[in-house]
């Protein structure tokens, strides 16, 4: 365990870059002779291209090429699986269809690229793209999940199929039962930065890529496969990424296409997709319908839960996520069954979106818990406490750490839970009904493999190197704190170099796992340096000879004996005396087998106060408290920001976010930020964040678990529960828009 | 202006660029009057020049204290001019449709969405971008709003940040920062998908209360 130094709330290390406009995102890089490309999308959702007229576009000024399925340069590695998620490329479960960009006239989703127009300026490419005309042979289109739920198939792999503990139908005979259906619409990540890529073949087989990716190593690997290149010849740089929320967890086909075209035209090529293309080309949270059956005894002990989820996926790829998992381990319940199905539709493929399936599942489970608490006439926290479990009932093993009870209690105090009336619809202030709601969230705490290099110079400065990308959570700041805590180097003498494949390999930023993974590597490399310094000081003839290693402390560049502070040596003197200008250590780090003995999860509890206007159906979140039980908080300031960001995302998920399809055409009708409503300033109140901040003794030397996902998971349920408490009406279809509230209140 | 010569770049003076535009235009008119020549000209790649003659217009604009005399296409937005031709990439594109505020800059002191502003309409104007708000850079002085954003962690990924800061400065100057709720209302054109809103509001209120000149 890391010696428990204080973790002061330091400013974000890249703050100055971000407030001055100095931070460079992929589209900000300026390469001489860059050409620009614009994607033309299909206007139908299923069928094939009958004719494609590119002549006018080709003749337009500045056009360097129009690439379609008829003339697309080959991508030699198409037959290799192009993945690029979490731990590198993984083969996708095969369906009967394949989708390879610009490889055939076949159309599998609306907006599917049918041409990429390249010109010497963005304006010219945009204009020329408007001149590409296609006609189509249409086929019947299936895009409505509700109509095709019965076509659900059990996906292959870990997240697929069925789970059973005890008896599947035990809930049926319980004294108190509940059956409820919940719907999550398509939500779109919509990071503020538009997706794209800047690709530059610097030599025949050497590639430089500025990407919008959550993992430079994953992009490197995907491109190496696609172009059959040695990964060493592919350099990927993503130091700054303007938000990802999951859409950058894989390499998308259009990125590969741009790289192929850049090679063909022999110029650097930049793609920045439009906001509307963000809805079809880079994934989304899948439309999911869920049914929860729950049974409890009259004392509020759960007897059985059955949780079934059916989600949409593309016709050409089975995307799966852990929608039903929380139900398996969250509560002490002897009988639990879950079922997960996919329906293949004529839609582009989904991808994990913040909190992914767990957020979808938590909305259903935590709404159902609230509904059941109401049936039992119990306080929702009390109901959860009656079914609290200290060990994981799914795997029959202990949690590595769990302080959820404390989280319930502290959150309840902060929101003023005592002001909540268990009788719904009983508090009114002027025109508004007031309600309180809460919900639990949980997400796996991972410890992935990662490496990091630490360079400690004799002048006292320290550099951390890792390929990891910081998409916004404050990774660099957290790594700085870890190095500071191990080596006592002042934070302003620490520099972090990251987001580049020239640096030690790191996993993709996702799964709330980066502080745990890369942080451990930084910890290990710093510890190796500390050990070496101690060795130099303690050895015969050394300045602290005769002392014991465990008596030493290291702070502010001075190694000293803890009980006799006069016995000390400056690190710089020690290094100089040994003719060292730099100490340089690279460490690979991963958890040991002992981790397998525990279930490792982060937990959160979200509390909200809402106001509902019964005249208009408008719901406003007026107070929010989010509590994180995510182990030791390494960087308090950026961690708090992650939590408030989850609240903003959660308010959008609960109240406004919904990508609406016109099923006649299989097309989104609100594919822009004016019509797809993410939360804006006016939607988000002041937020209180509470960190339990107790180290997890198992997961990693810092004791830190992740928090990116739990910041969002459960939040929408808390809002739905608060709306019920305010009005006595339950909205089970997100988002909770005024029309739904009015319909219920009518 | 290396790679951007074809679309514009600095010309000696607006007058001379206007002259050359006229000259090119009359040459063009001549070509149009003699179709066979024009056809041959197109074959020889002269269509590029014809297009350029049509497409280029002179523009004088002051950006962050530097007077620019440019020759640009009339359809170029202020956002793309800043980013792709002047290489001031601090101003971001989040939607290109006036829906997100990532591209917020000041034109003659007022906040505007650069993506909704045709560059040609800034003739004679003064444009301030995030790069021109203060000395900035790696070590220079920060504008009080920039410092407050760092202090309150008013960002995560940082992509919306230049727009938020430009909007925030204008919000105070306009007199629309008298309460957190008023700030929320008047900052709602600037989306932050990372959800740093609560901290952004704190930063703005801090600057407002601190009374520093913005
Ligand atoms: S890019 Fe201008 S408002 Fe979004
Ligand atoms: S900081 Fe990421 S969008 Fe605002």
């Amino acid at each position: 365990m890391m010696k428990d130094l204080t973790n002061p709330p330091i400013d974000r290390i890249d703050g100055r870059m971000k407030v001055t406009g100095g931070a460079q995102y992929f589209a900000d890089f300026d390469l001489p002779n860059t050409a620009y490309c614009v994607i033309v999308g299909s206007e139908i959702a299923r069928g094939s291209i009958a004719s494609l007229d590119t002549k006018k576009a080709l003749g337009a000024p500045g056009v360097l090429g129009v690439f379609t399925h008829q003339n697309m340069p080959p991508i030699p590695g198409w037959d290799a699986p192009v993945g690029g998620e979490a731990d590198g490329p993984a083969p996708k479960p095969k369906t009967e269809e394949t989708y390879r960009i610009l490889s055939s006239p076949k159309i599998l989703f609306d907006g599917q690229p049918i041409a990429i127009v390249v010109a010497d300026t963005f304006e010219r490419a945009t204009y020329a793209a408007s001149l590409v005309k296609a006609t189509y042979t249409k086929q019947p289109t299936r895009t409505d999940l509700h109509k095709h739920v019965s076509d659900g198939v059990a996906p292959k792999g870990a997240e697929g199929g069925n789970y059973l503990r005890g008896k599947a139908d035990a809930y049926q005979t319980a004294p108190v039962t509940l059956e409820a259906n919940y719907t999550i619409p398509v939500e779109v990540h919509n990071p503020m930065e538009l997706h794209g890529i800047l690709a530059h073949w610097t030599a025949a087989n050497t590639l430089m890529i500025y990407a919008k990716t959550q993992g430079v190593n994953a992009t490197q690997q995907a491109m190496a496969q696609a172009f059959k290149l040695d990964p060493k010849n592919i350099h990927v740089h993503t130091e700054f990424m303007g938000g990802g929320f999951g859409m950058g967890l894989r390499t998308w086909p259009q990125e590969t296409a741009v790289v192929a075209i850049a090679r063909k035209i022999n110029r650097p090529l930049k793609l920045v997709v439009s906001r509307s293309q963000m809805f079809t080309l880079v994934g989304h949270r899948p439309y999911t319908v869920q049914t929860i059956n729950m049974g409890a005894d009259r004392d509020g002990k759960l007897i059985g839960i059955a949780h079934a989820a059916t989600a949409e996926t593309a016709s050409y790829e089975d995307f799966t996520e852990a929608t039903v998992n929380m139900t398996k381990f969250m509560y002490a319940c002897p009988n639990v069954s879950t079922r997960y199905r996919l329906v293949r539709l004529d839609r582009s493929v989904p991808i994990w979106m913040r909190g992914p399936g767990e957020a979808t599942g938590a909305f259903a489970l935590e709404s159902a818990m609230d509904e059941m608490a109401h049936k039992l006439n119990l306080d929702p926290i009390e109901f959860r406490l009656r079914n609290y479990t200290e060990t994981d009932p799914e795997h029959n093993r202990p949690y590595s750490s769990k302080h959820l009870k404390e989280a319930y209690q502290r959150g309840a105090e902060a929101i003023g839970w005592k002001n909540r009336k268990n009788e719904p619809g009983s508090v009114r202030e002027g025109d508004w009904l007031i309600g309180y709601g809460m919900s639990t969230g949980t997400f796996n705490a991972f410890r992935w493999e990662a490496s990091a290099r630490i360079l400690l110079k004799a002048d006292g400065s320290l550099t951390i190197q890792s390929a990891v990308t910081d998409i916004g959570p404050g990774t660099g700041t957290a790594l700085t704190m870890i190095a500071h805590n191990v080596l006592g180097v002042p934070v302003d003498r620490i520099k972090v170099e990251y987001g580049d494949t020239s640096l030690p390999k790191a996993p993709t930023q996702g799964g709330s796992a980066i502080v745990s993974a890369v942080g451990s590597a930084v910890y290990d490399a710093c510890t190796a340096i500390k050990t070496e310094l101690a060795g130099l000081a303690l050895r015969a003839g050394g300045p602290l000879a005769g002392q014991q290693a465990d008596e030493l402390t290291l702070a502010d560049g001075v190694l000293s004996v803890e009980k006799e502070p006069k016995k000390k040596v400056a690190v710089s003197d020690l290094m100089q005396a040994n003719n060292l200008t730099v100490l340089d250590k690279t460490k690979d780090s991963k958890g040991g087998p002992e981790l397998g003995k525990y279930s490792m999860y982060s937990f959160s509890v979200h509390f909200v106060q809402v106001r509902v206007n019964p005249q208009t159906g408008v719901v406003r979140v007026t107070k929010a408290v989010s509590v994180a039980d995510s182990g030791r908080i390494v960087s308090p300031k950026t961690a708090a920001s992650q939590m408030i960001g989850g609240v903003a995302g959660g308010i959008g998920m609960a109240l406004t976010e919904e990508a609406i399809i016109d099923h006649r055409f299989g097309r989104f009708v609100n594919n822009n930020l004016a019509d797809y409503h993410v939360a804006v300033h006016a939607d988000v109140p002041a937020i209180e964040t509470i960190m339990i901040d107790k180290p997890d003794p198992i997961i990693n030397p810092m004791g830190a678990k992740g928090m990116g996902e739990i910041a969002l998971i459960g939040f929408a349920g808390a809002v739905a529960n608060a709306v019920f408490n305010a009005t006595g009406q339950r909205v089970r279809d997100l988002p909770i828009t005024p029309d739904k509230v009015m319909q219920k209140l009518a | 202006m290396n790679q951007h010569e074809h679309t514009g770049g600095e010309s000696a003076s607006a007058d001379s660029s206007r002259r050359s535009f006229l000259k090119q235009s009359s040459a063009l008119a001549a070509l149009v009057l003699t179709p066979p020549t024009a056809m041959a000209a197109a074959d020889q790649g002269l269509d590029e020049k014809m297009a350029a003659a049509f497409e280029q217009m002179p523009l004088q604009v002051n950006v962050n204290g530097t007077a620019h005399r440019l020759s640009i296409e009339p359809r170029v937005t202020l956002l793309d001019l800043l980013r792709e031709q002047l290489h001031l990439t601090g101003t971001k594109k989040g939607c290109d449709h006036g829906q997100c505020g990532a591209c917020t800059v000041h034109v003659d002191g007022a906040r505007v969405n650069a993506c909704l502003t045709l560059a040609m309409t800034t003739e004679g104007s003064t444009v301030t971008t995030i790069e021109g708000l203060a000395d900035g850079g790696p070590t220079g002085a920060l504008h009080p709003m920039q410092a407050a954003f760092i202090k309150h962690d008013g960002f995560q990924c940082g992509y919306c940040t230049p727009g938020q800061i430009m909007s925030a400065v204008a919000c105070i100057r306009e007199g629309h920062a008298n309460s957190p709720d008023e700030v929320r209302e008047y900052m709602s054109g600037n989306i932050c998908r990372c959800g740093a809103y609560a901290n952004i509001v704190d930063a703005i209120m801090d600057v407002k209360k601190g009374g520093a000149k913005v």
Side-chain angles (χ1 to χ4, degrees):
Chain A
M1 283 283 291
M2 181 158 67
K3 191 158 167 232
D4 218 23
L5 294 179
T6 52
N7 281 340
I10 62 165
D11 292 343
R12 203 172 280 266
I13 57 160
D14 49 7
R16 174 176 276 267
M17 299 285 275
K18 286 174 173 169
V19 301
T20 56
Q24 280 190 294
Y25 303 78
F26 84 90
D28 300 341
F29 286 89
D30 174 30
L31 304 179
N33 212 27
T34 294
Y36 296 76
C37 61
V38 169
I39 293 176
V40 182
S42 160
E43 296 147 299
I44 64 164
R46 180 146 201 121
S48 59
I49 300 168
S51 71
L52 198 52
D53 182 1
T54 59
K55 226 160 130 205
K56 269 202 191 133
L58 274 167
V63 171
L64 301 165
V66 177
F67 296 90
T68 70
H69 66 278
Q70 289 152 343
N71 66 339
M72 184 61 195
I75 295 171
W78 257 153
D79 288 326
V82 178
E85 50 197 69
D87 293 318
K92 298 284 172 193
K94 278 257 189 293
T95 68
E96 304 88 79
E97 295 279 13
T98 38
Y99 166 53
R100 286 180 187 161
I101 187 166
L102 300 177
S103 66
S104 91
K106 195 164 59 178
I107 299 296
L108 300 172
F109 60 93
D110 180 74
Q112 177 183 324
I114 59 166
I116 296 182
V117 179
V118 184
D120 57 2
T121 71
F122 172 66
E123 290 79 13
R124 287 169 153 187
T126 303
Y127 173 64
S130 75
L131 302 175
V132 173
K133 296 291 172 222
T135 61
Y136 305 89
T137 310
K138 286 187 204 165
Q139 285 173 3
T141 300
R142 301 160 77 246
T143 53
D144 188 349
L145 178 65
H146 286 288
K147 278 199 186 142
H148 302 284
V149 171
S150 57
D151 299 345
V153 294
K156 301 186 188 77
E159 291 173 350
N162 303 329
Y163 165 84
L164 177 62
R165 168 167 89 236
K167 281 178 31 215
D169 55 1
Y171 64 86
Q172 286 176 355
T173 49
V176 185
T177 60
L178 168 83
E179 174 169 340
N181 298 315
Y182 303 92
T183 305
I184 299 250
V186 170
E187 292 164 18
V188 184
H189 309 70
N190 274 321
M192 293 319 298
E193 182 191 26
L194 297 165
H195 163 77
I197 187 168
L198 171 56
H200 181 202
W201 290 86
T202 48
N205 279 319
T206 321
L207 185 55
M208 177 73 216
I209 291 175
Y210 301 88
K212 180 171 172 69
T213 177
Q214 291 175 230
V216 290
N217 291 124
T219 298
Q220 179 190 45
Q221 202 58 40
M223 292 301 175
Q225 282 184 7
F227 294 93
K228 295 199 184 296
L229 292 176
D230 185 339
K232 282 206 285 293
N233 291 344
I234 302 177
H235 186 173
V236 183
H237 180 87
T238 311
E239 184 180 355
F240 292 99
M241 183 182 184
F245 313 110
M247 56 65 59
L249 285 172
R250 67 180 290 179
T251 301
W252 295 98
Q254 59 274 10
E255 298 177 68
T256 316
V258 168
V259 171
I261 295 169
R263 185 182 231 177
K264 176 86 180 171
I265 63 165
N266 199 21
R267 284 174 75 159
L269 184 58
K270 188 196 274 191
L271 169 73
V272 178
V273 308
S274 68
R275 181 54 67 181
S276 64
Q277 289 171 333
M278 297 291 286
F279 284 68
T280 47
L281 296 182
V282 290
H284 56 270
R285 190 193 299 283
Y287 201 113
T288 305
V289 294
Q290 300 175 76
T291 301
I292 295 221
N293 278 284
M294 193 178 270
D297 68 19
R298 298 207 186 277
D299 294 332
K301 290 290 285 178
L302 284 166
I303 289 173
I305 312 175
H307 184 174
T310 303
E312 45 124 358
T313 190
S315 63
Y316 54 90
E317 203 177 293
D318 282 352
F319 168 77
T320 63
E321 54 182 0
T323 309
V324 294
N325 283 18
M326 179 176 176
T327 302
K328 301 174 190 171
F329 65 84
M330 192 65 224
Y331 298 106
C333 178
N335 305 291
V336 172
S337 68
T338 69
R339 182 177 188 273
Y340 179 66
R341 293 291 181 270
L342 291 179
V343 177
R344 296 172 187 149
L345 298 176
D346 301 323
R347 303 275 321 280
S348 57
V349 72
I351 188 88
W352 299 282
M353 178 166 160
R354 193 177 193 178
E358 288 82 345
T360 302
F363 166 65
L365 178 64
E366 290 296 288
S367 291
M369 288 296 286
D370 199 74
E371 298 201 42
M372 184 55 105
H374 179 69
K375 284 194 173 208
L376 294 163
N377 199 21
L378 279 177
D379 178 285
I381 299 176
E382 175 58 26
F383 179 45
R384 285 168 175 81
L385 291 176
R386 289 189 190 182
N387 294 285
Y388 196 83
T389 176
E390 297 287 1
T391 55
D392 171 6
E394 181 188 2
H395 301 101
N396 275 320
R397 60 189 180 198
Y399 293 108
S400 57
S401 63
K402 182 177 180 183
H403 304 284
L404 191 52
K405 276 187 183 165
E406 182 180 343
Y408 286 137
Q409 181 222 326
R410 289 182 60 186
E413 267 165 33
I415 195 84
W417 190 253
K418 60 179 188 312
N419 299 324
R420 176 186 179 276
K421 302 270 174 288
N422 218 21
E423 179 62 35
S426 54
V427 183
R428 189 184 263 273
E429 266 179 34
D431 288 342
W432 297 85
L433 296 167
I434 313 289
Y436 291 85
M438 56 80 60
S439 163
T440 317
T442 181
F443 192 76
N444 289 78
F446 294 109
R447 169 83 186 268
W448 293 337
E449 195 170 350
S451 51
R453 180 183 182 194
I454 302 292
L455 299 138
L456 177 67
K457 296 219 188 90
D459 68 4
S461 68
L462 182 139
T463 303
I464 301 170
Q465 293 184 334
S466 168
V468 70
T469 291
D470 185 349
I471 65 175
T475 303
T477 312
L479 300 182
T480 297
M481 285 306 300
I482 292 167
H484 164 74
N485 270 343
V486 179
L487 287 174
V489 176
V491 291
D492 60 358
R493 303 298 317 273
I494 299 176
K495 187 166 103 194
V496 190
E497 293 173 355
Y498 55 152
D500 194 288
T501 48
S502 64
L503 302 168
K505 205 168 170 204
T508 294
Q509 183 152 69
S512 304
I514 292 303
V515 166
S516 177
V518 183
S520 296
V522 167
Y523 178 92
D524 288 356
C526 287
T527 303
I529 285 182
K530 190 174 175 179
T531 306
E532 182 154 342
L533 286 172
L536 293 173
L538 296 173
R539 73 178 176 195
L544 302 177
Q547 306 295 325
Q548 296 302 311
D550 57 8
E551 297 169 349
L552 300 184
T553 59
L554 182 54
D556 291 328
V558 177
L559 197 58
S560 58
V561 179
E562 200 161 10
K563 297 226 175 72
E564 296 170 81
K566 282 201 190 116
K567 292 190 179 161
K568 63 180 178 184
V569 58
V571 169
S572 53
D573 294 343
L574 188 61
M575 286 175 71
Q576 260 157 27
N578 288 279
N579 286 326
L580 290 167
T581 51
V582 63
L583 282 171
D584 179 351
K585 298 275 181 214
T586 301
K587 283 282 173 195
D588 292 325
S589 183
K590 63 173 177 190
E594 71 283 1
L595 295 190
K597 294 187 203 140
Y598 298 90
S599 286
M600 304 191 296
Y601 291 98
S602 288
F603 299 94
S604 59
V605 190
H606 304 284
F607 288 87
V608 296
Q609 181 201 56
V610 299
R611 303 179 160 239
V612 183
N613 187 316
Q615 253 71 54
T616 62
V618 164
V619 178
R620 308 282 302 158
V621 174
T622 40
K623 263 193 204 174
V625 176
S626 281
V627 193
D629 168 20
S630 62
R632 181 107 160 88
I633 303 301
V634 169
S635 168
K637 199 162 172 173
T638 54
S641 286
Q642 262 192 298
M643 291 302 283
I644 67 163
V647 170
I651 290 174
M653 180 177 182
L655 299 179
T656 58
E657 288 189 43
E658 175 179 26
I660 299 164
I661 294 184
D662 182 335
H663 295 295
R664 292 171 302 169
F665 309 105
R667 177 177 309 166
F668 290 114
V669 294
N670 61 339
N671 53 3
N672 60 77
L673 291 174
D675 296 318
Y676 180 95
H677 295 154
V678 304
V680 300
H681 275 282
D683 297 317
V684 180
I687 300 158
E688 187 170 344
T689 59
I690 297 172
M691 309 291 170
I692 299 297
D693 199 12
K694 291 197 172 139
D696 182 299
I698 305 299
I699 186 165
N700 55 42
M702 295 82 62
K705 301 190 280 191
M707 79 174 355
E709 322 295 331
I710 56 161
L712 180 87
I713 296 171
F715 195 88
V719 175
N721 297 342
V723 169
F724 177 79
N725 183 242
T727 63
Q729 299 299 326
R730 175 70 55 182
V731 180
R732 300 184 183 87
D733 304 333
L734 292 184
I736 306 171
T737 45
D739 55 314
K740 292 177 192 166
V741 176
M742 288 310 288
Q743 208 178 10
K744 295 268 183 182
L745 286 173
Chain B
M1 292 290 298
N2 47 46
Q3 73 272 32
H4 291 298
E5 268 158 14
H6 47 266
T7 56
E10 317 259 343
S11 55
S13 77
D15 278 355
S16 83
S17 95
R18 226 168 253 136
R19 266 200 304 279
S20 74
F21 171 70
L22 289 174
K23 233 194 275 168
Q24 285 172 340
S25 304
S26 44
L28 196 72
L31 285 177
V32 172
L33 289 173
T34 51
T37 327
M39 297 292 281
D43 286 347
Q44 288 158 26
L46 287 182
D47 58 335
E48 263 301 292
K49 283 199 183 132
M50 289 165 62
F54 272 125
E55 288 175 359
Q56 302 292 304
M57 297 287 282
L59 169 68
Q60 286 195 65
V61 60
N62 184 305
V63 182
N64 298 336
T66 304
H68 290 271
R69 290 161 184 226
L70 306 162
S71 162
I72 63 160
E73 290 188 28
R75 63 185 165 190
V76 171
T77 63
L78 177 58
L79 175 60
D80 289 324
L81 174 71
L82 291 169
R83 290 182 50 81
E84 303 297 337
Q85 297 188 41
L86 302 181
H87 304 297
L88 290 167
T89 53
T91 307
K92 303 299 183 202
K93 184 183 283 189
C95 69
D96 227 5
H97 284 69
Q99 300 171 342
C100 77
C103 64
T104 307
V105 298
H106 297 170
V107 175
D108 296 329
R111 49 175 162 169
V112 302
N113 288 334
C115 71
L116 283 191
T117 306
L118 286 170
M120 291 304 297
T121 66
T122 63
E123 173 69 31
S125 296
T126 297
V127 175
T128 307
T129 72
I130 190 73
E131 292 95 340
L133 195 58
D135 294 346
T139 53
L142 295 176
H143 183 278
M145 191 62 75
Q146 292 172 318
F149 267 61
I150 294 178
K151 177 176 161 199
H152 292 278
D153 209 34
F155 44 71
Q156 290 172 44
C157 76
Y159 195 81
C160 73
T161 310
Q164 299 279 0
I165 289 175
M166 297 310 285
S167 228
V169 169
C171 185
I172 292 185
R173 286 183 188 161
E174 291 160 9
H176 289 143
N178 298 306
S179 70
D181 274 340
E182 192 182 23
V183 167
R184 285 186 190 106
E185 197 64 34
Y186 279 88
M187 288 297 292
S188 277
N190 288 82
I191 297 176
C192 176
R193 189 55 159 158
C194 295
Y197 297 124
N199 290 354
I200 294 171
V201 172
D202 287 350
I204 297 172
M205 290 313 295
D206 196 0
V207 173
K208 165 79 183 174
K209 286 193 190 125
K213 187 173 165 355
V214 295

